[in-house]
Amino acid sequence: MRTIGGLWRWRRNPLRRRTDLAEAWLALLALLLIAVVAPLAGVAAGAAAEHALQQSVRDQHRARHEVVATVVRKLTRAPLEPDPEASSAQDPRSRVLAGWRAPDGSAHQGKVITVLRSPHRGDHFPIWTDRHGRLVGRPLDTATATTHAVLAGVAAALMTVVLLEAARRLIVWRMVLGRYARWDQAWDRAGPDWGRTGTGS
């Protein structure tokens, strides 16, 4: 609204310079581009991210399998949890030696992090493996993928706003520099006659 008001105010003002009107039109154009281009960029980026992430979700769910592991024995305290999404402050971790059977039927044994509070020999807990029984991370879920896609869209829209505003400011800065240069030229021309009564008459 301030931009439109500025255009109206400069419409027939006798003190108006061409650069004043150009700055007002530039501000209006930037506002319109922000209102139109930024949402479109956000939607496009979000849709592209959603498509890629949902494909990743499908691929991970095809390649990763939840199997049941059996505790062989408890080991020393667990190292740092590699999957921050899978843990929380109220989610104690234990490191155990466990055995499991892969989807292809092969038997495996290894050191595993479990959420069992007090694991004992013979306890069962779920783990994720590939089809050959190698341990893998939990697959990405649809809701998390959608959340990431929305965040990507918002980030793209904000980045578009920042770029458009930066471009507007850069153009205005160049216009101001040009205005100062013209003032300097005008002062150079008027300099020899400055302060002399009747000069030029």
Side-chain angles (χ1 to χ4, degrees), residues 68-79 94-100 108-114 116 119-125 127 135:
V68 176
T70 304
V71 175
V72 176
R73 71 172 187 275
K74 185 175 180 179
L75 301 175
T76 56
R77 61 189 285 262
S94 298
R95 191 162 174 255
V96 299
L97 180 66
W100 65 91
H108 297 268
Q109 191 173 87
K111 298 172 183 176
V112 182
I113 303 295
T114 176
L116 296 174
H120 296 90
R121 180 182 178 86
D123 288 347
H124 301 291
F125 61 96
I127 59 172
L135 292 172

Side-chain angles (χ1 to χ4, degrees), residues 77-160:
R77 61 189 285 262
L80 292 177
E81 173 58 48
D83 182 8
E85 290 185 4
S87 62
S88 67
Q90 293 78 30
D91 190 12
R93 299 275 156 171
S94 298
R95 191 162 174 255
V96 299
L97 180 66
W100 65 91
R101 188 166 295 279
D104 65 2
S106 59
H108 297 268
Q109 191 173 87
K111 298 172 183 176
V112 182
I113 303 295
T114 176
V115 295
L116 296 174
R117 289 182 177 275
S118 180
H120 296 90
R121 180 182 178 86
D123 288 347
H124 301 291
F125 61 96
I127 59 172
W128 289 91
T129 72
D130 63 12
R131 62 186 300 271
H132 300 296
R134 290 186 292 265
L135 292 172
V136 295
R138 183 180 58 186
L140 185 66
D141 61 84
T142 302
T144 302
T146 300
T147 301
H148 290 172
V150 169
L151 292 176
V154 171
L158 291 176
M159 184 60 66
T160 302

